């Protein structure tokens, strides 16, 4: 552990913060009693099914719905011809200002489709089966057009995915510091070049998206319940698209079976169920199937990189050309991940000369949706592959090369070439701790046999968290209301949601410590825009880092009110009042004490005596706006949109079959630093889950399509997720370097682990197959056929 102490402004005991308090609602999940969005579809609901494009690019010649309308159970349908005049384009999650032209995203295509799976018709029937059958009977006649499926071709093509743009480059970002071009030509530098192609992958949550919309004509209000990561931004989006006031729309998010970025704003089905509920005056439900879930793409990109060092191992330059295939741009913000991948480079290493040239290419593929890591995982992967190849060229161990070039702990805050301001870190001791952990692995050395070869790989990961992008709705703050009712019940109304990671438990711990209460006595309310204050919901590890800070501030405000009331009752000074385990007492005279609930009821029933000098009710709403964020461009024209920078360092040992190329991960260890830890078990759970996702992306997870742009991946049988039997035990170590920019020292723990695992496993595979083959293993996932091809090529 670091000797730096966590920062905390939380008074009183019993100090739940820092302990592994079990999840508040764990029993309901264990017993199978938890209610998810598909469980709340009422029995009288109508069901929506989408007719989707069968072509990556085509003109819509005609739509014949006659047979569909004769189907038993059919109720209604809607096409763009009906819907467009009655609605507005769906707002984009992020500002459209940087796009090269207008972006009007509609839930249904009007004249032309841009990708396989784009919605064309929404059919409503009285059952799921009837809706599916009716949708299958809709006949769409197309005039196929030449699609753009290769991003490298799209960048220079005059065949446009978005015709009003007159370009297929959605964004082009050049990050430059120093003079990298000159350094690469210096005579005394060792230069290594490499390429890395990252296949398309997806978040694949256990629970797919589902929504049910209710329209109340008496109050003219629309209620949409479903798998929403971000209820308030979704309310804003849906209200705007349907020409409603935000006050006319209520969004409710029940338990969510994993999101990993998929269930953020901008999905066309969110607007469609609302439109059809208004049209039919009946509840309308949409429950996505797995095939539709695989329309959510992410990560697909290609990198060409170079790295240069002096013969002593001092890295002097790094450059990367990146082309990301973001598909057609939708209302969501998934495309932003490519820019983040570029912005995080060169991660934890101090390199004075850098050039990152990043192109976001639109193609006739489905839009990118958010996926855990949010681009940072790929930036880390590319840098760590470059480090590994450079170490091989220099003839040094990769960890010795890492140590020599890590940003020193006394250099923080440290500005990356992109303008990101890294708040804190202690990288070398973390690497030392990891090596001590791996030294305990069996025999302290890899061992193979005639059939298998064994390799070890290491990797760092820098994971900016708490995104506050300018123009996003909202940007960089969260809100909490804390109230104490007459019965003494403490309730927190939080602007965030929980996708299953347990942040409600962390919130309860933070607030419980303010009142000297037990976490289980705190009630947490989330995910209802009629009840909870405005905020961003769940994304970028903002839950405890931003909303937790707001909740502590609000709780301290309410506590000060209660302290004044208790002082009135106990005839002492407010400064002498202490709270502990359901009691309030005077520290100056310990025999003067009252039940917490007695103080609360006294305030409400005797406000002129017990509550003298206190603004009632016992309630406070506070927001916390992230610090260490700069939206004004610096001297290089760069902003810094992330407030905190947790990091981790990973080690993997793998076993590769010489005959088949199949990889088995034998051992795994990681050291993680997310600043102040509120609940160690929750943090460990987040890290283990992220590592598993990273291992899956490194070895198996791959969305494929044919040459005509049609999906070949449509079920979990052909999208290979890691199983428990595929994974070793994951050993986790912690360091704590608090962020000086956060009142509680927190840095976020939701996304760290994905990129480190991807890189460590890839490096381990490279170590196993040898340097010559490793240089040719330039695509991820490292499938058996790719590994075998690299081995064969390495022999030539």
């Amino acid at each position: 552990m670091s000797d730096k102490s966590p920062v905390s402004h939380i008074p009183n005991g019993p100090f739940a913060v820092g302990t592994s308090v079990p999840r508040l609602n764990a029993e309901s999940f264990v017993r199978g009693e938890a209610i998810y969005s598909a469980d709340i579809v009422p029995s009288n609901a109508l069901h929506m099914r989408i007719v989707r494009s069968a072509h990556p690019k085509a003109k819509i010649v005609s739509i014949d719905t006659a047979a569909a309308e004769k189907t038993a159970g059919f109720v209604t349908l809607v096409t763009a011809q009906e819907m467009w005049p009655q609605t507005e384009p769906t707002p984009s999650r992020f500002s459209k200002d940087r796009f090269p032209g207008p972006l009007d995203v509609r839930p249904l295509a009007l004249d032309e489709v841009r990708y396989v799976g784009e919605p064309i018709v929404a059919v409503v029937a009285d059952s799921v089966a009837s809706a599916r059958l009716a949708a299958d009977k809709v006949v769409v006649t197309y005039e196929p057009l030449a699609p753009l499926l290769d991003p490298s071709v799209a960048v220079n093509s005059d065949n446009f995915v978005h015709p009003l743009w007159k370009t297929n480059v959605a964004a082009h970002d050049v990050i430059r510091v120093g003079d990298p071009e000159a350094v690469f030509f210096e005579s005394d530098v060792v230069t290594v070049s490499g390429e890395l192609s990252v296949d398309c992958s997806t978040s694949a949550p256990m629970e797919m998206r589902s929504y049910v919309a209710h329209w109340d004509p008496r109050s003219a209000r629309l209620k949409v319940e479903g798998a929403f990561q971000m209820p308030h931004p979704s309310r804003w989006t849906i209200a705007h698209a349907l020409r409603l006031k935000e006050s006319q729309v209520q969004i409710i998010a029940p338990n969510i079976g994993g999101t990993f970025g998929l269930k953020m704003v901008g999905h066309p089905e969110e607007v469609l169920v609302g439109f059809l509920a208004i049209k039919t005056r009946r509840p309308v439900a949409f429950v996505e199937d797995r095939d539709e879930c695989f329309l959510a793409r992410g990560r697909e990109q290609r990198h060409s990189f170079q790295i240069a060092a002096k013969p002593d191992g001092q890295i002097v330059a790094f450059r990367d050309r990146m082309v990301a295939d973001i598909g057609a741009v939708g209302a969501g913000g998934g495309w932003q991940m490519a820019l983040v991948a570029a912005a995080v480079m060169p991660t934890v290493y101090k390199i004075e000369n850098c050039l990152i040239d990043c192109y976001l290419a639109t193609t006739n593929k489905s839009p990118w949706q958010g996926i855990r890591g949010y681009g940072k995982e790929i930036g880390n992967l590319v840098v760590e592959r470059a480090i590994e190849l450079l170490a091989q060229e220099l003839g040094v161990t990769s960890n010795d090369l890492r140590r020599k070039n890590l940003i020193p702990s006394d250099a923080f805050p440290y500005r990356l070439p992109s303008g990101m301001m890294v708040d804190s870190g202690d990288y070398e001791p973390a690497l030392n701790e990891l090596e001590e952990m791996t030294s305990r692995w069996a025999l302290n050395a890899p061992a193979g046999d005639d059939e298998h070869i064994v390799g070890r790989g290491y990797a760092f990961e820098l994971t900016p968290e708490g995104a506050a992008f300018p123009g996003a709705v909202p940007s960089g703050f969260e809100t909490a209301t804390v109230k104490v009712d007459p019965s003494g019940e403490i309730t927190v109304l939080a602007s965030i949601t929980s996708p299953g990671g347990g942040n409600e438990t962390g919130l309860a711990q933070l607030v419980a410590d303010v009142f000297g209460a037990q976490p289980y006595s705190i009630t947490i309310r989330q995910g209802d825009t009629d009840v909870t204050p405005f905020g961003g919901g769940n994304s970028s590890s903002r839950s405890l880092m931003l909303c937790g800070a707001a909740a502590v501030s609000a709780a301290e405000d309410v506590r000060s009110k209660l302290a004044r009331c208790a002082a009135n009752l106990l005839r002492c000074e407010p400064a002498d009042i202490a709270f502990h385990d359901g009691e309030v007492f005077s520290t100056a005279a310990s025999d003067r004490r009252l039940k917490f609930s007695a103080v609360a009821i006294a305030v409400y029933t005797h406000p002129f005596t017990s509550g003298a000098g206190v603004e009632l009710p016992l309630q406070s709403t506070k927001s916390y706006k992230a610090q260490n964020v700069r939206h004004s461009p610096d001297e290089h024209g760069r902003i810094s949109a992330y407030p905190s920078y947790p990091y981790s360092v990973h080690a993997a040992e793998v076993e590769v079959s010489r005959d088949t190329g199949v990889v088995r991960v034998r051992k795994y260890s990681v050291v993680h630093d997310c600043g102040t830890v509120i609940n160690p078990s929750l943090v460990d759970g987040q890290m283990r889950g992220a590592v598993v996702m990273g291992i899956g992306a490194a070895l198996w997870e791959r969305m494929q399509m044919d040459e005509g742009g049609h999906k070949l991946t449509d079920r979990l049988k052909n999208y290979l997720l890691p199983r428990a039997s595929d994974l070793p035990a994951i050993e986790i170590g912690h360091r704590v370097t608090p962020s000086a920019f956060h009142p509680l020292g927190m840095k976020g723990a939701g996304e760290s682990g994905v990129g480190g695992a991807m890189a460590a496993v890839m490096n381990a595979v490279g170590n196993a197959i040898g340097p010559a083959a490793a240089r040719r293993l330039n695509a991820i996932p490292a499938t058996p056929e790719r590994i075998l091809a690299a081995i064969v090529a390495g022999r030539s």
Side-chain angles (χ1 to χ4, degrees), residues 175-194:
I175 299 169
R176 179 192 299 272
V177 64
D179 190 359
E181 293 91 344
V183 172
F184 277 104
F185 283 100
E186 292 180 2
S187 59
D188 64 338
V189 301
V190 177
T191 301
V192 175
S193 300

Side-chain angles (χ1 to χ4, degrees), residues 16 19 52-53 67 78 87 112 224 239 251 388 417 426 442 457 533 598 605 611-612 630 722 735 739 742 747 792:
T19 62
R52 300 182 182 274
S53 169
V78 63
T87 57
E112 185 175 308
V224 187
I251 303 296
E388 201 75 12
D426 205 11
T605 56
R630 189 190 66 258
R735 299 191 65 78
S739 174
H742 190 278
K747 296 198 286 192
V792 171

Side-chain angles (χ1 to χ4, degrees), residues 9 11-12 482-484 490 511 513-516 551-569 572-579 584 596 599 603 610-622:
H9 294 171
N12 299 292
V482 175
K483 61 179 184 176
V484 176
I490 303 169
V511 172
D513 272 3
V514 173
F515 291 105
V552 168
S553 178
E556 289 175 339
D557 191 23
V558 175
R559 181 190 178 279
S560 67
K561 294 182 180 184
L562 275 165
R564 165 63 68 180
C565 298
N568 292 339
L569 291 166
C572 64
E573 293 298 318
D576 294 334
I577 293 296
F579 296 77
V584 184
F596 184 91
V599 177
V603 172
S610 301
V614 174
E615 181 182 355
L616 299 178
L618 297 174
Q619 178 173 313
S620 178
T621 298
K622 297 286 185 179

